[in-house]
Amino acid sequence: KQEVTQIPAALSVPEGENLVLNCSFTDSAIYNLQWFRQDPGKGLTSLLLIQSSQREQTSGRLNASLDKSSGRSTLYIAASQPGDSATYLCAVRPDAGGTSYGKLTFGQGTILTVHP
Amino acid sequence: NAGVTQTPKFRILKIGQSMTLQCTQDMNHNYMYWYRQDPGMGLKLIYYSVGAGITDKGEVPNGYNVSRSTTEDFPLRLELAAPSQTSVYFCASSYHQPNTIYFGEGSWLTVV
């Protein structure tokens, strides 16, 4: 059974710092990995999606990497801002052909606080 | 662009009551999902649907039922509510090749 773990559980940094969030998964047979952002009282917003054949994806100040063989992904946030404060979740989709659909396995999330 | 819309946003139920969480999407997505999120935890899949008339169980289906009579709507039914069903419920949808998944804003349910 796939298990996804995110470290740290919470992180507090001053504005302007570069930071790294970690995600590890136990079964390397994945189709893709997604990073989501969740604001308090809101749903999840997809930030980056990395296919199993890719090594990284970038969007603005965000960079996500994937090392499938070691079961790890990192989300790098450059020049953090108070508006980045949110919970960040990673989720993996199993590589089960066309039957895996949206059967994502989520980590428990990292609560990020960026203070001015 | 409404995306995925869930109602109600908040609800308090008594033990043994039943209710339906409504979910509708306007993106013509084939795939729809219901997840629950317990405090400090990730999301767990309750049920999913790959198209109208087709539904299947996810990881935690006990105590819930779903139907998918149209592409747009995917209601989640709670029968005989129990305190263990206190959670935040998220509906989501995606295209036939589920890459990016779009989530609703959640429904907070408390069973007392």
Side-chain angles (χ1 to χ4, degrees):
Chain A
K1 177 184 175 184
Q2 178 73 271
E3 293 183 1
V4 180
T5 303
Q6 291 187 244
I7 295 173
L11 182 63
S12 181
V13 300
E15 182 177 5
E17 272 204 6
N18 302 325
L19 56 98
V20 174
L21 307 181
N22 297 292
C23 173
S24 62
F25 46 95
T26 55
D27 186 349
S28 61
I30 65 169
Y31 185 78
N32 61 39
L33 182 146
Q34 276 187 258
W35 282 93
F36 293 89
R37 170 182 173 139
Q38 184 177 26
D39 293 293
K42 299 291 185 181
L44 280 69
T45 301
S46 181
L47 297 172
L48 290 165
L49 182 146
I50 311 176
Q51 301 290 358
S52 62
S53 58
Q54 297 175 322
R55 296 285 293 180
E56 66 178 335
Q57 282 286 333
T58 299
S59 176
R61 294 181 294 107
L62 305 180
N63 175 277
S65 67
L66 174 64
D67 185 341
K68 195 175 109 169
S69 61
S70 68
R72 294 179 182 177
S73 176
T74 61
L75 179 66
Y76 176 83
I77 302 178
S80 58
Q81 303 171 357
D84 294 330
S85 298
T87 298
Y88 291 81
L89 297 104
C90 69
V92 297
R93 180 190 167 199
D95 185 7
T99 62
S100 62
Y101 305 118
K103 295 179 182 178
L104 302 177
T105 300
F106 283 82
Q108 77 278 21
T110 293
I111 302 172
L112 173 65
T113 303
V114 181
H115 48 88
Chain B
N1 186 2
V4 180
T5 303
Q6 294 180 231
T7 57
K9 182 85 170 180
F10 300 98
R11 181 73 186 268
I12 298 175
L13 276 182
K14 293 184 178 179
I15 294 172
Q17 286 186 321
S18 299
M19 75 161 296
T20 299
L21 298 177
Q22 302 291 344
C23 176
T24 187
Q25 52 91 9
D26 61 358
M27 297 174 281
N28 201 32
H29 287 168
N30 284 2
Y31 291 9
M32 296 188 74
Y33 322 87
W34 275 105
Y35 287 89
R36 61 176 285 174
Q37 184 179 33
D38 298 321
M41 306 293 288
L43 281 69
K44 293 187 177 180
L45 183 65
I46 305 172
Y47 269 95
Y48 66 97
S49 169
V50 301
I54 306 171
T55 63
D56 207 347
K57 296 177 181 179
E59 184 182 358
V60 289
N62 292 344
Y64 307 94
N65 278 298
V66 294
S67 60
R68 185 94 182 269
S69 57
T70 66
T71 299
E72 294 78 19
D73 301 309
F74 190 41
L76 177 71
R77 176 90 177 154
L78 281 74
E79 304 282 1
L80 300 175
S84 61
Q85 293 178 302
T86 294
S87 190
V88 184
Y89 292 83
F90 289 98
C91 180
S93 71
S94 67
Y95 283 113
H96 69 283
Q97 286 296 330
N99 286 326
T100 300
I101 290 181
Y102 297 85
F103 283 82
E105 295 202 334
S107 296
W108 272 253
L109 176 67
T110 301
V111 181
V112 296

